[in-house]
Amino acid sequence: MAKEQKSRQSARRSKKTAKHRRASSESAPALRERAGAVVAALAEARPARIELEFNNPLELAVATILSAQCTDKRVNEVTRDLFQKYRSAADYAAADPEVFQEEIRSTGFFRNKTRSIVSFAQALLDRHGGTVPDSMERLVELPGIGRKTANVILGSGFGRNEGIVVDTHVKRVSGRLGLSAEEDPEKIERDLMELVPRAEWSDFGLRMVQHGRYTCTARKPRCDGCPLEELCPSAYSFG
Ligand code: SF4
């Protein structure tokens, strides 16, 4: 490695160490201010975009269940045909599990996902006349729907800010940014909801997912050029 490049990296690491010390002793008002700057910088750098393709809340719910442990790209490939065949909760509820499993096989965990989708659709018919409800309380009572999935449906399907999606990306990035020291997704979500204005909850979640996918990746975060570098206590502390 060139001498100049080495010294640049070392300078960045020292800068990071100083920032990390500041972040660990950060006051609540300072954290709130920094979080506001993170929200603004992310909004400037990334569109609030969901990569799953859907036309209505039912399709979004099915796509979100299918997306567990699977890429959105693969889910979209599968749902292009699936959504032509299954158009209502009644269609999913009446699905032959053996056939449905084959139709979604490439998304992985296809037996569990089939059970979840069929039970979800049956519960929609029994309790909500086949319509996806638009409240957190009613969504999380449905089989196959946890708080994370409910947040996706509410934010991107109904445009409602009821919470913040915390998936594996949001969990990792929130920790690195020092916005939450928690491990449990619901506790992380509570921390983020304290720091982020309610009107931004859904968009912020979508942007954090994108940021974790494409910049603040698990193994090799791209700190050089990251739009949050100046605000991040973990910048350049990897590798
Ligand atoms: S990529 Fe680096 S600077 Fe950006 S948020 Fe992640 S750890 Fe921080």
Side-chain angles (χ1 to χ4, degrees):
M1 186 184 299
K3 202 172 161 191
E4 196 186 320
Q5 195 183 352
K6 266 189 181 167
S7 82
R8 219 171 34 234
Q9 285 193 349
S10 146
R12 280 175 184 147
R13 281 201 193 98
S14 336
K15 192 166 83 173
K16 178 259 142 196
T17 309
K19 274 200 274 190
H20 192 64
R21 273 200 300 272
R22 272 208 304 280
S24 55
S25 59
E26 195 172 31
S27 67
L31 171 59
R32 190 167 289 280
E33 193 182 326
R34 191 169 59 82
V38 166
V39 172
L42 262 185
E44 204 162 297
R46 300 206 168 268
R49 191 166 80 83
I50 184 163
E51 294 183 359
L52 292 172
E53 293 168 2
F54 63 97
N55 295 298
N56 53 55
L58 177 65
E59 289 187 357
L60 176 58
V62 170
T64 308
I65 294 171
L66 291 176
S67 71
Q69 310 288 319
C70 181
T71 63
D72 288 358
K73 185 168 177 274
R74 172 59 56 88
V75 171
N76 291 338
E77 283 162 14
V78 167
T79 56
R80 257 167 234 147
D81 289 337
L82 202 73
F83 292 164
Q84 295 299 316
K85 180 172 175 188
Y86 301 91
R87 294 181 171 271
S88 66
D91 291 342
Y92 288 105
D96 176 339
E98 297 289 320
V99 173
F100 197 82
Q101 278 176 26
E102 290 310 309
E103 289 167 334
I104 65 160
R105 178 183 273 269
S106 65
T107 68
F109 301 96
F110 53 92
R111 287 191 190 86
N112 276 343
K113 288 178 182 176
T114 296
R115 266 194 297 275
S116 292
I117 290 170
V118 172
S119 319
F120 165 70
Q122 280 164 349
L124 278 187
L125 283 179
D126 294 347
R127 302 178 209 168
H128 302 290
T131 304
V132 179
D134 65 352
S135 81
M136 177 64 78
E137 204 183 5
R138 282 176 291 160
L139 276 169
V140 294
E141 282 173 354
L142 293 166
I145 308 293
R147 201 175 157 92
K148 183 186 80 177
T149 304
N151 269 324
V152 174
I153 296 168
L154 289 167
S156 296
F158 291 104
R160 297 187 60 147
N161 287 303
E162 296 282 319
I164 297 175
V165 170
V166 177
D167 70 349
T168 177
H169 300 295
V170 179
K171 181 178 174 182
R172 180 178 69 253
V173 178
S174 299
R176 287 177 178 171
L177 283 168
L179 300 181
S180 177
E182 299 289 352
E183 285 295 315
D184 174 65
E186 290 202 14
K187 290 182 181 165
I188 295 171
E189 185 186 355
R190 235 174 286 150
D191 285 346
L192 295 176
M193 285 161 75
E194 282 288 311
L195 292 169
V196 176
R198 182 166 188 153
E200 303 288 335
W201 285 354
S202 172
D203 286 354
F204 177 75
L206 293 173
R207 289 182 173 122
M208 287 281 276
V209 171
Q210 297 268 321
H211 190 65
R213 257 182 205 162
Y214 301 113
T215 303
C216 194
T217 52
R219 295 211 185 126
K220 255 193 155 186
R222 301 185 173 93
C223 301
D224 203 358
C226 169
L228 307 181
E229 181 213 325
E230 288 298 317
L231 300 163
C232 180
S234 307
Y236 301 106
S237 60
F238 305 88

